[in-house]
Amino acid sequence: MVQACGDAPDVASSGITFTPTDSALYQAVGEWLKTVLPVPFRLRQGQQNRAPSPVGPYCVMQLITTRLLATNGWSYTDTSRTVTEMREVTVQVSAFGPGAGDALKQACGLWRDFYATDWFRANAPILSPLTAAEPRQLGFSNSENQYEDAWSVDLKMQVNYQRTIPQQFASEVTVTTIEADTLTTQE
């Protein structure tokens, strides 16, 4: 591979921007969950290595699926094209400790309510709540081989991802006509 423009090897430099990121989705869902989970539940993002479980009841949220909902849409500015992709994204919320089932039943019930729609519209308009699966109990034993109360629920949301692609456009075209020399033919 040939390097150009002084870029470091293996560094992408397409200039395409992408929103929202997974990090922004975790932030938005986490902030909403803090408004509906009972005290003293703590909240953390899933798939973190070498992180011990919190003391007391806690929830873990993990993005688990994404599904295309419609064909992409496009819009243009003077310098770019924006591609909008509508997706259904599912976040799994798992609760551990005393009261885990009640906590997730509350989150599930309010996800299906206009409370969630109004909250996201006002505080994190990057997503819209859609549906929630029924909460389910998990078999969970801790490091001392003791069973703990553990429940899980899948919350589905619509996310309109946008990719902005830099493009050059012509705002005007200057055309110059040149008369062609033509040969006359005789018959």
Side-chain angles (χ1 to χ4, degrees):
M1 181 172 165
V2 177
Q3 290 179 295
C5 303
D7 289 339
D10 300 325
V11 175
S13 59
S14 69
I16 298 172
T17 60
F18 178 76
T19 60
T21 62
D22 287 351
S23 178
L25 292 177
Y26 279 120
Q27 181 73 30
V29 173
E31 291 300 319
W32 179 80
L33 283 168
K34 289 176 187 176
T35 71
V36 298
L37 291 173
V39 174
F41 270 88
R42 295 174 185 258
L43 189 62
R44 72 169 30 167
Q45 181 179 324
Q47 293 184 334
Q48 293 184 10
N49 292 322
R50 298 185 178 118
S53 298
V55 175
Y58 65 97
C59 287
V60 177
M61 56 183 175
Q62 179 64 48
L63 295 174
I64 58 170
T65 63
T66 177
R67 182 176 69 90
L68 191 62
L69 292 174
T71 303
N72 291 353
W74 301 270
S75 62
Y76 297 88
T77 68
D78 290 342
T79 59
S80 66
R81 177 170 67 101
T82 300
V83 178
T84 301
E85 178 185 48
M86 293 188 315
R87 287 198 160 269
E88 176 187 88
V89 177
T90 305
V91 63
Q92 182 181 64
V93 180
S94 301
F96 302 90
D102 291 335
L104 287 191
K105 287 175 208 161
Q106 179 160 299
C108 178
L110 290 174
W111 186 262
R112 297 176 180 164
D113 189 73
F114 64 85
Y115 170 79
T117 305
D118 291 345
W119 190 93
F120 282 105
R121 185 179 300 128
N123 298 289
I126 62 172
L127 67 92
S128 298
L130 292 175
T131 63
E134 295 301 323
R136 59 198 172 274
Q137 189 174 32
L138 308 173
F140 178 73
S141 61
N142 61 24
S143 59
E144 290 81 25
N145 291 324
Q146 299 295 307
Y147 285 104
E148 289 193 21
D149 198 13
W151 286 73
S152 182
V153 69
D154 296 345
L155 305 176
K156 295 183 183 291
M157 64 193 91
Q158 180 177 328
V159 178
N160 295 337
Y161 290 99
Q162 293 192 324
R163 291 171 181 85
T164 302
I165 304 165
Q167 289 189 322
Q168 294 180 348
F169 296 93
S171 58
E172 63 181 58
V173 176
T174 303
V175 178
T176 304
T177 58
I178 300 173
E179 187 174 322
D181 294 332
T182 55
L183 297 174
T184 56
T185 58
Q186 292 184 5
E187 293 182 28

